[in-house]
Amino acid sequence: MAPPQAPADGGVVVAGGTAVPSENGAGDHHGGSVDNSNGVVGGRTTVPSSSVAANGNGKQHGTRERKKKPAVVSPMDKYWTPIDDKEAAEAVEDGGEDGRRPLLFRTYRVKGILLHPYRLLTLLRLIAIILFFIWRIRHPYADGMWLWWISMVGDFWFGVTWLLNQVAKLNPIKRVPDLSLLRQQFDLPDGNSNLPRLDVFINTVDPINEPMIYTMNSILSILAVDYPIDRTATYLSDDGGSIIHYEGLLETANFAKLWVPFCRKHSIEPRAPQSYFAVKSRPYTGNVPDEFADDHRHMSKEYDEFKVHLDALFTKIPERSDAYNAEAKEGVKATWMADGTQWPGTWFDPAENHKKGQHAGIVKVMLNHPGDEPRFGGPASAETPLDFSAVDVRLPMLVYISREKNPSYDHQKKAGAMNVQLRVSALLTNAPFIINFDGDHYVNNSQAFRAAMCFMLDRRDGDNTAFVQFPQRFDDVDPTDRYCNHNRVFFDATLLGLNGIQGPSYVGTGCMFRRIAVYGIDPPRWRTDAFKLVDNPNKFGNSMPFINSIPSAANQEWSMTSPPAHEESVMEELNNVMKSAYEDGTEFGKEIGWVYNIATEDVVTGFQYTDRMAIYILRWSGGSLEMFFSHCPLLAGHRLNFMQRIAYTNMTAYPISSVFLVFYLLFPIIWIFRGEFYIQKPFPTYVLYLVIIIAMTELIGMVEIKWAGLTLLDWIRNEQFYIIGATAVYPLATLHIVLKLVLRGNGVSFKLTAKQATSTVNEKYAEMYVVQWAPLLIPTIVVIAVNVGAIGAAIGKAIVEGWSLLQMADASLGLVFNAWILLLIYPFALGIMGRWSKRPYILFILFMIGFAVVAVVVVAIHAARTGSVRFHFRHSGGASFPTSWGF
């Protein structure tokens, strides 16, 4: 998951039905906006298209073409205006003559009515910050100069990080793909297409911690996309070598024979069945409404049976293995396949060469290449109740991969698995474009792949485009998004700003790459006369078939002809490129493929490709800092735009801010024990500056949420989650980098939690009420306690000391700060209450009790020191009581 605050700039994602894809590496980055029906299951993320076309699958054999519906305009579009009208007009005039491709997307920028005030407020706030520092330097007065120096350094860092973040958003850009033009240009009258080939990578590890139903839904949504069937191939990388995944994929391939034609026949969206059937009703957009009710009922039943089959694998396979083991009467308890052979991957009972981290490589083609001729199904029958006689029933190629694992090697987690996918796919299909997904993602708009191709194939700079980052949105999030799961400020505002520079970062999933970009090969704009596609074969390893495939990968028009994977020569080479030792002496993980040895390998990968082409939160923040020191953006190659360097610097160094932020949040503890204590004098002037600067920040935010299509709640959730992360996770990330880089230690161990599906029908958001205690919770709990204590202490002191109006005014400023902090940490406080958080008023009562308890303690301490206590009342002047009365 991406970092929660604007300091962490990553790939573009969609918000609330607004998709904003962007592409990286060409100097400009493309995005789009459309209202999509985003439904999510089990906390998974969707990968919607930025398509502005209506949902559907295009023409079908023997059906009438439905009327084109008017485009739905997003509310945010009224603040955007096209800036490429001249280019578009010229493209219409030349009519695609001389082999020139049409413009496949339109570019928009924010209208001046919002953009100019946005920039002006940013300038005014920068001036206010500068004046604030000048004033502080001229007034070095405080009750403790050591605190004054800490606060000066902290305020300076806050100012710098705000500026780094803000300048990247001064020219927000979005680009909208034109799918109708793409179809005109590449789809043929006979139903075939000249669109480039595409290899899809899906990654998973454990069928329990990453529920298999999500992974198989992801695969089904990909198999059913509206893209030429013979031009896609899907590769599932099972990094745990589990037979559960393998046989689950067999079940999925079988179910897909019904599900995919059903999707095509009725043009349904989304095409992940778990999400589709979760919605009870939706508008029908297909061409055969008379058959839909019966087909829908039948498919729902088939899907229920499919889920039962998947669940049964967890008992069926062990039972089968026990039977075979009893017959074999061998010492080891092997795991057996249905054909009576031993599974080459990990076994239920681990054994030598059959356990996690130690097993052979596996490649199994589950669905062969379908050929380039349509194959229509048959009419409804007792065997197949659905009529597919007018539907192409072919399925795209599907491959299972589990790379070799050897305990002597560091296998580099997801990045290593994807580099193996890169080599295996090169030997089988070698598509010029690659798109990768995590196992818990699905495509919620079947036009998504076509939308990305609009950017890759556009005539302006498509050939120089390295990658297109798709949108993503999280599902099964509570209606108020208590924990900022959607993270819309980051995804829909910050990344649109980056879209106007060189584009956002690769976020690790839902990203389409040009294959030769992943190989580290220069784009056309940077090639010299002496350019060689493969300058040093050794850096790619010892597989000549793999090396020889590289020139073909650069050819977008090369047709897919997959060699039979069962041939001995092909299998031998596939086993070779999957070996743990294959990458020894190569540039994989450095200059080729996905980058190694950094927790956020996805960010570094996108960073390096941008340079060439021009948890989770703890893992992200720790890895971001690590990237800052090991791949410093300021020292990157000359092709990285200066503003892009600024953006990457901000997204890698942001965790450092937490060190100073925690200091400010814990400062009230000094006031509790020492009374009045100021880090800057004169204090009223200091507060005035802070109020002005904070107020301007909020004004900038109000303008930003307008052009980004956000809500005030989105903005508040973003601030809340940033404070929570900054008090709990980011300080640990900073400690991690200190231990690892400065002290040459191993850093902090990141233990990723399981993605268990705990929701039930009766309790949809059950996982929100489960408390998983960890040391990470302690710092934020301390911050809550300190600020509750500060408010309670103020109440107690006001009671016993008889404050003047000036004292009350001074105290009120601090109390506003304390209350603001508690408001920001409110979601965290609810979270640690577990099931009690269903009743938020209980938290309010607990806060009141906390204030009262601390106030009573302050009164008691005062009584113990003075021998009596005087309560001050507004009209009577107060009353004194001896301490023997209970104090």
Side-chain angles (χ1 to χ4, degrees):
M1 180 178 177
Q5 166 77 346
D9 301 324
V12 170
V13 209
V14 67
T18 303
V20 192
S22 59
E23 45 97 359
N24 218 341
D28 289 314
H29 294 272
H30 313 316
S33 175
V34 68
D35 280 355
N36 284 331
S37 177
N38 294 341
V40 183
V41 183
R44 293 186 296 157
T45 54
T46 62
V47 182
S49 159
S50 60
S51 163
V52 293
N55 290 338
N57 195 47
K59 292 185 180 180
Q60 293 183 4
H61 178 73
T63 61
R64 65 184 183 276
E65 187 176 5
R66 62 181 179 273
K67 281 187 178 180
K68 186 176 180 180
K69 297 180 180 179
V72 180
V73 179
S74 168
M76 68 179 280
D77 285 344
K78 64 182 179 180
Y79 299 116
W80 295 79
T81 184
I83 58 175
D84 58 354
D85 285 337
K86 183 178 178 181
E87 280 184 301
E90 291 174 352
V92 171
E93 288 179 7
D94 69 41
E97 294 177 359
D98 301 324
R100 300 185 72 193
R101 295 180 298 225
L103 302 186
L104 297 178
F105 65 86
R106 294 296 306 275
T107 307
Y108 294 79
R109 72 182 300 175
V110 178
K111 291 181 178 179
I113 193 173
L114 284 183
L115 185 60
H116 298 326
Y118 185 71
R119 291 174 173 174
L120 178 61
L121 285 170
T122 299
L123 176 62
L124 292 177
R125 189 180 190 274
L126 177 60
I127 293 172
I129 290 174
I130 294 173
L131 292 175
F132 174 59
F133 278 108
I134 293 174
W135 176 80
R136 291 204 68 184
I137 291 171
R138 290 179 175 177
H139 298 79
Y141 312 123
D143 288 334
M145 288 305 297
W146 62 278
L147 285 176
W148 184 88
W149 277 107
I150 293 176
S151 68
M152 275 292 293
V153 175
D155 287 346
F156 176 77
W157 181 257
F158 292 145
V160 169
T161 54
W162 169 81
L163 185 61
L164 293 177
N165 175 64
Q166 197 61 31
V167 294
K169 295 188 286 187
L170 295 180
N171 186 36
I173 292 292
K174 71 185 179 82
R175 295 176 172 88
V176 181
D178 191 328
L179 297 187
S180 61
L181 280 179
L182 185 78
R183 290 184 184 276
Q184 292 175 22
Q185 181 73 10
F186 292 95
D187 289 359
L188 304 176
D190 62 1
N192 289 318
S193 176
N194 287 327
L195 281 170
R197 293 161 299 105
L198 177 64
D199 287 339
V200 184
F201 296 170
I202 304 176
N203 296 87
T204 189
V205 178
D206 191 308
I208 297 177
N209 290 342
E210 297 173 338
M212 186 168 58
I213 187 64
Y214 297 166
T215 304
M216 298 309 155
N217 265 266
S218 302
I219 292 169
L220 289 167
S221 73
I222 292 166
L223 294 177
V225 294
D226 178 16
Y227 200 82
I229 303 167
D230 59 320
R231 290 178 172 260
T232 61
T234 302
Y235 293 83
L236 173 66
S237 172
D238 172 19
D239 220 27
S242 169
I243 193 173
I244 298 288
H245 276 138
Y246 171 72
E247 297 206 5
L249 199 58
L250 282 174
E251 293 285 352
T252 301
N254 190 50
F255 176 70
K257 294 174 183 177
L258 285 177
W259 173 251
V260 173
F262 168 74
C263 293
R264 293 172 184 159
K265 178 180 179 179
H266 295 292
S267 301
I268 70 163
E269 301 286 351
R271 298 189 176 183
Q274 186 81 358
S275 299
Y276 177 73
F277 290 120
V279 179
K280 299 304 179 184
S281 63
R282 61 177 78 242
Y284 182 72
T285 58
N287 298 319
V288 281
D290 296 342
E291 300 178 24
F292 177 69
D294 288 340
D295 288 359
H296 183 278
R297 189 180 307 110
H298 180 79
M299 282 308 307
S300 179
K301 180 182 176 182
E302 289 286 340
Y303 181 60
D304 289 339
E305 292 180 3
F306 168 68
K307 290 189 290 184
V308 170
H309 290 166
L310 289 184
D311 290 339
L313 293 177
F314 290 91
T315 56
K316 175 183 174 182
I317 298 174
E319 288 174 357
R320 180 179 68 212
S321 297
D322 289 343
Y324 275 115
N325 287 327
E327 184 179 337
K329 296 180 180 180
E330 295 180 1
V332 296
K333 293 183 178 180
T335 296
W336 294 78
M337 302 171 66
D339 61 3
T341 59
Q342 292 186 357
W343 173 244
T346 59
W347 290 350
F348 290 111
D349 293 303
E352 193 70 15
N353 297 321
H354 293 283
K355 57 186 177 182
K356 288 185 178 180
Q358 185 183 19
H359 60 77
I362 309 168
V363 175
K364 300 281 187 180
V365 177
M366 319 300 282
L367 293 171
N368 287 311
H369 187 270
D372 55 4
E373 292 298 326
R375 186 174 69 254
F376 296 97
S381 64
E383 214 173 272
T384 307
L386 279 69
D387 181 4
F388 291 147
S389 58
V391 181
D392 190 343
V393 297
R394 290 178 299 161
L395 296 176
M397 188 173 175
L398 179 62
V399 182
Y400 173 90
I401 300 174
S402 183
R403 57 178 168 152
E404 179 191 271
K405 290 290 186 71
N406 186 316
S408 301
Y409 286 84
D410 182 350
H411 297 100
Q412 303 295 345
K413 303 181 178 66
K414 175 184 171 183
M418 292 180 69
N419 284 338
V420 170
Q421 282 176 304
L422 190 65
R423 297 192 293 271
V424 169
S425 64
L427 295 176
L428 290 179
T429 48
N430 200 31
F433 296 98
I434 298 165
I435 183 168
N436 82 285
F437 296 98
D438 286 344
D440 56 353
H441 287 57
Y442 69 89
V443 181
N444 82 334
N445 188 309
S446 63
Q447 309 291 317
F449 295 175
R450 289 178 175 267
M453 283 299 176
C454 287
F455 308 130
M456 290 292 194
L457 303 178
D458 186 80
R459 77 185 193 187
R460 284 165 287 191
D461 219 357
D463 291 339
N464 291 302
T465 301
F467 62 87
V468 178
Q469 178 63 59
F470 275 84
Q472 58 181 329
R473 177 58 66 226
F474 295 88
D475 293 296
D476 248 10
V477 174
D478 70 292
T480 63
D481 193 15
R482 181 194 293 178
Y483 301 118
C484 196
N485 288 300
H486 291 313
N487 204 3
R488 295 188 61 188
V489 172
F490 168 63
F491 288 138
D492 302 345
T494 300
L495 298 181
L496 276 181
L498 290 176
N499 214 27
I501 309 173
Q502 259 182 305
S505 167
Y506 164 48
V507 301
T509 181
C511 186
M512 180 181 289
F513 286 92
R514 192 176 297 274
R515 184 181 283 266
I516 61 170
V518 184
Y519 290 159
I521 296 173
D522 285 338
R525 66 160 55 177
W526 294 107
R527 294 175 186 174
T528 64
D529 294 337
F531 169 78
K532 290 183 179 180
L533 203 61
V534 181
D535 56 349
N536 179 14
N538 293 330
K539 69 181 183 181
F540 292 95
N542 60 16
S543 172
M544 289 311 299
F546 170 60
I547 295 170
N548 292 336
S549 73
I550 296 173
S552 299
N555 182 5
Q556 294 178 181
E557 299 175 0
W558 184 67
S559 61
M560 180 184 291
T561 54
S562 173
H566 59 269
E567 287 189 1
E568 186 176 344
S569 59
V570 177
M571 281 305 304
E572 183 179 344
E573 206 56 46
L574 288 171
N575 288 328
N576 178 35
V577 299
M578 286 193 297
K579 288 185 182 215
S580 303
Y582 181 84
E583 296 180 356
D584 290 350
T586 71
E587 291 297 317
F588 278 98
K590 292 174 280 190
E591 296 299 321
I592 300 174
W594 280 262
V595 179
Y596 294 160
N597 296 319
I598 290 185
T600 47
E601 70 270 358
D602 37 23
V603 179
V604 185
T605 298
F607 173 102
Q608 289 197 348
Y609 295 154
T610 304
D611 179 28
R612 292 188 190 113
M613 291 299 195
I615 288 204
Y616 325 67
I617 307 171
L618 176 58
R619 177 176 171 270
W620 258 84
S621 52
S624 295
L625 268 179
E626 190 173 352
M627 186 178 78
F628 175 78
F629 288 102
S630 61
H631 297 74
C632 183
L634 298 176
L635 304 178
H638 66 282
R639 297 177 192 172
L640 199 64
N641 183 289
F642 174 75
M643 291 302 298
Q644 194 76 349
R645 294 169 192 264
I646 296 298
Y648 273 116
T649 299
N650 175 56
M651 80 182 281
T652 54
Y654 70 91
I656 297 175
S657 302
S658 65
V659 176
F660 302 104
L661 187 59
V662 169
F663 160 76
Y664 275 111
L665 298 182
L666 294 179
F667 176 73
I669 198 170
I670 300 177
W671 183 83
I672 291 174
F673 292 105
R674 293 195 53 177
E676 293 182 355
F677 193 93
Y678 299 108
I679 59 174
Q680 177 68 60
K681 295 179 179 180
F683 189 66
T685 308
Y686 175 69
V687 171
L688 179 62
Y689 270 112
L690 291 181
V691 169
I692 292 173
I693 291 171
I694 293 173
M696 294 182 72
T697 302
E698 302 306 318
L699 282 175
I700 292 171
M702 294 307 99
V703 179
E704 189 171 296
I705 64 176
K706 279 292 185 183
W707 59 254
L710 306 175
T711 65
L712 182 60
L713 181 61
D714 293 324
W715 186 261
I716 293 172
R717 292 300 191 218
N718 181 74
E719 292 196 344
Q720 287 177 327
F721 198 65
Y722 177 69
I723 292 296
I724 293 170
T727 54
V729 179
Y730 300 162
L732 184 61
T734 306
L735 175 63
H736 164 76
I737 202 64
V738 169
L739 294 176
K740 187 169 183 179
L741 296 182
V742 179
L743 302 180
R744 300 296 179 185
N746 293 325
V748 178
S749 176
F750 299 141
K751 184 177 180 180
L752 302 182
T753 57
K755 302 176 183 177
Q756 297 280 4
T758 57
S759 296
T760 65
V761 174
N762 296 327
E763 202 166 25
K764 187 174 181 181
Y765 306 114
E767 69 276 0
M768 288 179 58
Y769 313 119
V770 177
V771 182
Q772 296 182 354
W773 288 96
L776 283 175
L777 301 179
I778 296 174
T780 312
I781 293 175
V782 171
V783 169
I784 293 175
V786 166
N787 284 274
V788 168
I791 294 175
I795 295 172
K797 291 178 181 180
I799 291 174
V800 298
E801 294 179 6
W803 282 351
S804 65
L805 289 177
L806 182 60
Q807 287 176 308
M808 293 179 67
D810 266 0
S812 66
L813 295 174
L815 292 177
V816 168
F817 172 81
N818 301 135
W820 178 59
I821 294 304
L822 292 177
L823 177 64
L824 292 178
I825 303 182
Y826 162 79
F828 174 89
L830 278 180
I832 62 176
M833 289 172 59
R835 295 189 173 276
W836 290 100
S837 65
K838 297 177 184 178
R839 301 173 179 85
Y841 64 86
I842 294 178
L843 178 62
F844 177 79
I845 294 173
L846 291 176
F847 278 157
M848 294 299 105
I849 293 174
F851 300 154
V853 168
V854 175
V856 169
V857 170
V858 169
V859 172
I861 292 174
H862 178 82
R865 288 177 176 175
T866 62
S868 66
V869 58
R870 178 178 178 81
F871 292 92
H872 293 266
F873 305 110
R874 183 173 180 181
H875 300 292
S876 65
S880 296
F881 301 94
T883 58
S884 59
W885 285 22
F887 295 101

